[in-house]
Amino acid sequence: MSTRSSKTKGKAPAGESGGPDIYVGLLFVSLMALAIGIAFLVMELGAYNFELGG
């Protein structure tokens, strides 16, 4: 197996794009889950005539 030279140290190999990976995708999934949860919470509070801001 060949070793990496010092010129490419810290850089992505030529075959990788360096774009978003699976963890960035999971971050967006969790963000959407939070947004949906907040929307359902607001709808549930609306059933009890709860008003935001006083």
Side-chain angles (χ1 to χ4, degrees):
M1 202 180 333
S2 64
T3 60
R4 292 172 51 179
S5 67
S6 62
K7 291 180 183 177
T8 60
K9 189 173 184 178
K11 295 182 180 177
E16 294 182 17
S17 65
D21 56 359
I22 187 67
Y23 300 108
V24 176
L26 288 174
L27 180 67
F28 284 118
V29 168
S30 65
L31 181 66
M32 290 306 299
L34 279 171
I36 291 169
I38 290 170
F40 280 132
L41 178 63
V42 168
M43 290 187 331
E44 184 69 24
L45 289 174
Y48 293 103
N49 295 326
F50 183 81
E51 293 182 15
L52 296 175

